[in-house]
Amino acid sequence: MENMIPHSLFVILEILAYLFVFVVGISALWIVILYLIDKAQTKHAIRHNYPVIGRLRYRFEYLGGFFRQYFADDREELPFNRAERNWVYRAAKNLDNTVPFGSSNNLTTSGKIYFANCMYPTPDKDAVAPEKVTIGPSARQPYRHAPFFNISAMSYGAISKPAVQALSKGAKAAGIWLNTGEGGLASYHLEGGCDLIFQMGTAMFGVRDERGRLSDKKLEQIAGHDQVKMFEIKLSQGAKPGKGGILPGVKVTEEIAAIRHIPVGKDAISPNRFPDIENADELLDFIGRVREVSGKPTGIKLCVGNFNELADLCTAVEKRGIEAAPDFITLDSGDGGTGAAPMPLIDNVGIPIRESLPLAVDMLKRYHLRERIKVIAAGKLITPSEVAWALSAGADFINNARGFMFALGCIQALRCNKNTCPTGVTTHNKRLQAGLNPEDKAVRVAQYAQNIQREVGIIAHACGVKEPRQLRRSHARVVTDMGKSISFGELYPDVEEAE
Ligand SMILES: Cc1cc2nc3c(=O)[nH]c(=O)nc-3n(C[C@H](O)[C@H](O)[C@H](O)COP(=O)(O)O)c2cc1C
């Protein structure tokens, strides 16, 4: 028998045996070393009390972020649950988005919204497409735009090059706008040929002079791009009111540093306020200057914290005349998203859109500014029912950021601030970006936008109106603490009707 096995095989087996003993020995030695390190250190109680094995806690904690989404209940997770994410994924892929058997949406939970259908829904032949809305009628170049669902601000920096390229191309295909976010204008924004809203954050990236103040010359240059249709002055963002933009140093690449005129690799923290804007009058001055120099509609973005300040702004407009008003107000929600924010701000500062939108719309009505100032709402409005609610509450347009991130392939890994986004959406790591093909994802971006508008239309027709912008508060109902619903119109009575 022995003679039948070649000598060389014995040699290989012997080497493998030695190797095995060596690997086991090294591993055992490594475990002993880790044990001694863990026992000796006193910084981490778990590692000290449960040497070696306690280390797994950190690994599981890290992996939990990725795995949670596969095991949690369909309606359980935050910021977005699986039911919401899946709807977006399927809409973006243009897959059948019908649901079998029955709803998993518990309509007895306090705060839930549903719609009051009518006995005689709008027949298909009577349904009409949303009309164009004019923003900034007194600007030299007013902007007329029909689609009510558009892409919210996300800077090139917070999101990656292929992500911006896909958004730009997808926006063009769907005929919607793309907001540049506060990181300035990159060639990737222009690439697809879509309409752009140029956002000016407190650091005024792209339009600032050497001293960090607004440069009229640079503003003119940006406005010179035909694609740039409007300017948005960002006073605050729902995820971090009171704090300027934050781009962690690890995401400040050479190219991004060049666009923003900041040092490579260093955290880019924008000031928490515009240096020249301290009150309503100064804000109107600034808006007037941007509109005058650019010739294009100019508005503000904010997350409301105090309605008296909004009233002050309306009073200041009243004094100066209606033309001085911001052309639009983008209302961001206290639970809005971000690339990076301090936890107390992301969790507990700023009024959520559910409350701020109807109150802000009513405030504008009280000052007879509702027609003049268009309202754009943002904040977790990623599915048709949420968008339909915002329209019924009084928004003219909806801006959406994270829904479009899902359309780009985001899996809610919550890594936007780390440059390690596994889907390439918020990282500048080329290896991780490789899976995000701008051409493919542009199609998904466009399909998501188109499907959401189509399905908001379905809700509108069920409520008996011809198009989504005709939805009114009386079409929505909200579930109260008692599990009973009341009309949203009763909760927030229409100001004009009341007067
Ligand atoms: C990755 C990321 C980057 C963002 N960057 C900006 C920005 O540059 N400027 C801004 O005003 N808002 C920014 N936002 C906020 C969004 O524009 C939006 O207001 C907010 O996320 C609420 O919308 P959503 O719930 O549809 O995401 C960002 C959000 C995300 C998720």
Side-chain angles (χ1 to χ4, degrees), residues 221-379:
Q221 281 167 4
I222 299 282
H225 290 280
D226 190 40
Q227 270 175 262
V228 174
K229 302 293 183 191
M230 305 203 288
F231 285 82
E232 180 177 82
I233 299 160
K234 181 184 125 179
L235 299 175
S236 56
Q237 186 179 329
K240 45 186 169 186
K243 191 116 186 82
I246 304 172
L247 188 64
V250 67
K251 294 178 78 173
V252 183
T253 62
E254 264 179 37
E255 190 188 27
I256 287 160
I259 293 173
R260 298 187 182 206
H261 303 292
I262 52 174
V264 181
K266 287 222 168 111
D267 289 357
I269 315 264
S270 304
N272 68 346
R273 207 192 74 193
F274 282 88
D276 296 333
I277 307 177
E278 205 178 300
N279 52 47
D281 273 313
E282 288 177 4
L283 177 58
L284 291 182
D285 288 345
F286 196 80
I287 292 169
R289 176 174 166 198
V290 173
R291 184 166 42 215
E292 185 49 37
V293 173
S294 68
K296 299 192 174 175
T298 303
I300 54 174
K301 173 170 181 171
L302 79 159
C303 171
V304 182
N306 180 347
F307 280 94
N308 291 337
E309 291 173 340
L310 207 54
D312 282 350
L313 182 65
C314 294
T315 309
V317 170
E318 220 172 27
K319 281 193 196 134
R320 289 186 184 207
I322 199 159
E323 301 216 330
D327 295 310
F328 63 90
I329 293 183
T330 304
L331 275 180
D332 201 11
S333 184
D335 54 8
T338 178
M343 191 161 159
L345 298 184
I346 208 168
D347 278 352
N348 297 94
V349 180
I351 301 178
I353 198 75
R354 193 64 91 71
E355 266 187 80
S356 62
L357 176 60
L359 292 174
V361 166
D362 289 350
M363 172 90 63
L364 295 180
K365 281 185 177 168
R366 255 181 233 115
Y367 284 85
H368 306 288
L369 289 169
R370 183 63 196 89
E371 266 310 297
R372 170 71 180 89
I373 301 176
K374 300 301 174 209
V375 175
I376 304 170

Side-chain angles (χ1 to χ4, degrees), residues 80 152-155 158-159 181-182 199 234 237 301 332 336-339 378-382 399-402 405 426:
F80 297 95
S152 199
M154 286 178 283
S155 65
I159 58 172
E182 62 179 288
Q199 187 181 74
K234 181 184 125 179
Q237 186 179 329
K301 173 170 181 171
D332 201 11
T338 178
K380 299 180 84 171
L381 307 170
I382 75 162
N399 262 355
N400 181 289
R402 287 170 288 177
M405 289 171 75
T426 62

Side-chain angles (χ1 to χ4, degrees), residues 427-475:
T427 177
H428 304 299
N429 178 324
K430 292 264 181 298
R431 185 183 68 78
L432 295 170
Q433 286 179 359
L436 201 169
N437 179 315
E439 306 298 330
D440 292 348
K441 294 300 193 291
V443 176
R444 294 200 185 174
V445 165
Q447 287 177 166
Y448 170 47
Q450 284 154 349
N451 279 322
I452 212 158
Q453 301 197 69
R454 190 177 55 78
E455 295 212 3
V456 177
I458 293 176
I459 295 176
H461 305 154
C463 293
V465 296
K466 291 183 176 178
E467 64 116 332
R469 282 204 187 92
Q470 290 173 3
L471 283 167
R472 294 291 169 266
R473 290 181 190 174
S474 55
H475 290 123

